[in-house]
């Protein structure tokens, strides 16, 4: 495909949303046509699934249901947004993708990695991110930052042990796929985080 696919990953409050505009500016400086999107979400139906997933007032969601809803939203997103953009030569910058499923449903909820792998192949075919920026910070720090923004959603209301497993899963993915996944130390102040992002993107676009 002509466009490149970049994803942004990390636990709660590590600064993904904060840094998206910065990454957008860096790529647009190089005249790269870019589409910003997010998961779960990115189409009307997938955003509706997102609302259901984040709402903590409804009936409890079985972990199998949660996993299938993540991939249902993803299938819709890939077919209607991500693939058409990449095929046209537009780059796609996505706030979270399947690494989040390995980290949250695999690491956090202890679901079998073989089930996630099967769904990944079924839904994505050979589509995988070309570059992933993993913003990493201790769970406590990310949670403190996330809490500053107000009410916690269904995921953010999980216990610390859950988020620790999520973080360790992300770090394990980065260790095994170091060509694709670049770790950004998100404990630093914003300008230092952005300097690291800049360096990783320049290495990728050169
Ligand atoms: N999920 C899943 O389980 N499985 C999947 O397959 C997928 C997702 C795709 C929604 O994700 C939930 O879906 C998510 C996982 C699950 N769980 N949760 N929760 P989301 O991406 O929409 O939600 P999120 O992870 O909660 O994102 P977030 O909390 O918005 O975090 P963030 O975007 O990384 O952080 P931020 O809003 O940019 O920053 C937080 C605060 O910190 C803010 O006030 C900033 O000004 C401040 N900040 C940021 N960087 C810094 C630095 N460097 N220094 C100081 N302060 C900073």
């Amino acid at each position: 495909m002509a466009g490149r696919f970049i994803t942004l990953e990390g636990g709660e409050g590590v600064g993904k949303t904060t840094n998206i505009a910065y990454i957008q500016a860096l790529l647009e400086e190089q005249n790269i046509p870019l589409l910003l999107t997010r998961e779960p979400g990115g189409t009307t139906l997938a955003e509706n699934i997102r609302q259901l997933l984040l709402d903590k007032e409804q009936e409890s969601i079985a972990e199998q249901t949660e996993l299938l809803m993540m991939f249902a939203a993803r299938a819709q997103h890939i077919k209607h947004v991500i693939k058409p953009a990449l095929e046209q030569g537009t780059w796609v910058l996505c706030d979270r993708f399947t690494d989040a499923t390995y980290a949250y449903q695999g690491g956090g909820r202890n679901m079998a990695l073989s089930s996630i792998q099967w769904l990944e192949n079924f839904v994505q075919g050979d589509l995988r991110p070309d570059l992933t920026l993993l913003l990493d910070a201790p769970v406590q720090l990310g949670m403190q930052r996330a809490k500053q923004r107000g009410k916690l959603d269904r995921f953010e209301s999980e216990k610390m042990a859950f988020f620790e497993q999520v973080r360790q899963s992300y770090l394990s993915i980065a260790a095994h796929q170091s060509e694709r996944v670049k770790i950004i130390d998100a404990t630093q102040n914003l300008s230092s985080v952005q300097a690291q992002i800049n360096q990783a993107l320049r290495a990728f676009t050169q």
Side-chain angles (χ1 to χ4, degrees):
M1 271 184 252
R4 315 292 304 275
F5 184 25
I6 302 175
T7 59
L8 208 49
E9 295 281 0
E12 329 306 305
V14 289
K16 296 178 301 301
T17 311
T18 306
N19 286 297
I20 278 195
Y22 175 73
I23 298 173
Q24 178 179 23
L26 282 180
L27 293 172
E28 286 178 353
E29 237 170 50
Q30 300 185 52
N31 294 319
I32 292 171
L34 184 70
L35 176 91
L36 295 184
T37 188
R38 68 172 179 183
E39 288 215 346
T43 76
T44 306
L45 178 61
E47 288 289 333
N48 287 337
I49 295 174
R50 176 190 179 89
Q51 289 307 318
L52 293 171
L53 281 162
L54 297 189
D55 182 4
K56 59 178 184 184
E57 307 302 332
Q58 59 179 317
E59 72 190 48
S60 80
I61 301 181
E63 52 194 35
Q64 291 87 347
T65 313
E66 181 179 276
L67 176 65
L68 292 169
M69 286 169 80
M70 291 295 173
F71 273 106
R74 185 162 297 137
Q76 200 68 9
H77 191 203
I78 289 170
K79 181 168 170 60
H80 293 295
V81 175
I82 297 177
K83 269 201 173 164
L86 293 173
E87 279 163 5
Q88 278 176 11
T90 300
W91 288 34
V92 174
L93 173 58
C94 190
D95 186 348
R96 296 192 184 279
F97 195 63
T98 306
D99 291 321
T101 313
Y102 282 103
Y104 283 79
Q105 282 65 52
R109 304 245 189 265
N110 260 313
M111 298 201 73
L113 296 186
S114 56
S115 305
I116 301 176
Q117 273 159 354
W118 188 89
L119 285 164
E120 180 181 36
N121 291 329
F122 177 64
V123 167
Q124 297 173 216
D126 58 5
L127 178 73
R128 299 290 183 278
D130 297 299
L131 171 70
T132 297
L133 300 175
L134 171 60
L135 276 71
D136 177 62
V139 173
Q140 197 85 39
L141 179 63
M143 287 306 285
Q144 262 168 21
R145 288 182 186 166
K147 275 183 191 153
Q148 290 164 11
R149 287 172 327 194
K151 201 165 164 249
L152 301 181
D153 66 34
R154 194 174 64 85
F155 285 97
E156 289 165 342
S157 308
E158 288 288 342
K159 299 201 166 50
M160 295 302 273
F162 173 88
F163 293 111
E164 199 50 62
Q165 285 165 342
V166 169
R167 183 183 185 206
Q168 293 313 321
S169 299
Y170 269 134
L171 290 173
S172 163
I173 294 170
H176 288 97
Q177 300 182 51
S178 57
E179 274 297 298
R180 170 177 70 87
V181 184
K182 304 298 171 199
I183 299 179
I184 307 294
D185 177 2
T187 62
Q188 307 285 313
N189 63 34
L190 198 52
S191 61
S192 159
V193 168
Q194 293 182 340
Q196 296 172 63
I197 290 175
N198 192 338
Q199 194 179 24
L201 277 177
R202 292 210 180 275
F204 178 70
T205 53
Q206 262 164 18

